[in-house]
Amino acid sequence: MDTAHIEEPRWLSDEEQRVWRAYVHATALLEDHLDRQLQRDAKMPHIYYHLLVCLSEAPHKRLRMTELAMTMKITRSRLSHAVARLEKNGWVRREDCPSDKRGQFAIITDQGLSVLKQAAPGHVNAVRHAVFDRLSPDQQKALGEALQIIAEGLEPEDAGADLPWLR
């Protein structure tokens, strides 16, 4: 192997390293905090709450499974497992897609909407306390802009992109 053409990595500066580690630390703690709050108060993990929110906001309270995986930014396998658990709870049901024999819709049920409505106040309080109450309006705006730039860079338009919902 010819190592003469391998580029040396652009190592993070001390400040970049500080920012990166703060991000990893904060996101791990935030996800754990939100997951524990939802498990305690609503008996569901954060991902299930997010799935119910996506369905509740969709036209006719339904989304194609492929579209839901893309919205959730998760693999189709992980989505299928989550939807199966939510179906077992009576919070979601699946329907075959009339225009595509292989496609299915996930639909939030009335019971799922009720559970979501009960869980939402506690969840929004946890989010507000953990994030927004700690940041000034300028910091909130800067955080939102930075995260949007990062997300756009990680979600390329090319057909061959290796994105979770395509796996």
Side-chain angles (χ1 to χ4, degrees):
M1 179 174 166
D2 181 15
T3 56
H5 293 84
I6 296 175
E7 270 187 53
E8 180 70 20
R10 287 182 44 222
W11 298 110
L12 299 179
S13 70
D14 289 346
E15 180 60 13
E16 289 168 334
Q17 188 73 254
R18 184 194 67 73
V19 169
W20 174 246
R21 289 182 182 184
Y23 167 80
V24 169
H25 186 80
T27 56
L29 289 172
L30 180 61
E31 185 59 34
D32 179 68
H33 174 73
L34 297 177
D35 201 58
R36 282 185 298 113
Q37 177 273 318
L38 283 163
Q39 288 283 8
R40 181 186 64 239
D41 297 347
K43 308 296 184 257
M44 76 174 85
H46 191 215
I47 190 169
Y48 292 6
Y49 178 86
H50 184 63
L51 198 151
L52 292 174
V53 168
C54 289
L55 290 174
S56 76
E57 294 174 344
H60 309 292
K61 310 287 186 233
R62 66 175 56 216
L63 281 172
R64 292 275 307 254
M65 290 287 284
T66 51
E67 197 177 345
L68 185 54
M70 187 170 67
T71 301
M72 296 278 302
K73 311 295 185 232
I74 60 175
T75 63
R76 291 176 290 196
S77 171
R78 187 169 184 205
L79 175 66
S80 185
H81 177 73
V83 168
R85 291 293 305 267
L86 293 173
E87 274 184 302
K88 190 175 176 181
N89 291 346
W91 301 348
V92 169
R93 65 184 167 82
R94 289 187 229 206
E95 264 181 23
D96 291 333
C97 178
S99 64
D100 177 2
K101 298 221 187 262
R102 294 181 306 160
Q104 284 191 317
F105 286 99
I107 304 154
I108 191 169
T109 64
D110 289 342
Q111 185 181 356
L113 285 168
S114 177
V115 165
L116 181 61
K117 189 175 182 178
Q118 290 172 354
H123 180 66
V124 80
N125 282 339
V127 169
R128 180 165 297 290
H129 175 72
V131 179
F132 295 100
D133 290 350
R134 298 174 186 275
L135 300 175
S136 71
D138 286 345
Q139 289 171 320
Q140 291 175 26
K141 183 178 181 206
L143 177 63
E145 290 170 352
L147 293 174
Q148 184 67 38
I149 290 167
I150 292 167
E152 287 169 1
L154 292 171
E155 199 169 347
E157 297 293 322
D158 7 341
D162 182 23
L163 298 168
W165 55 92
L166 299 176
R167 290 185 228 135

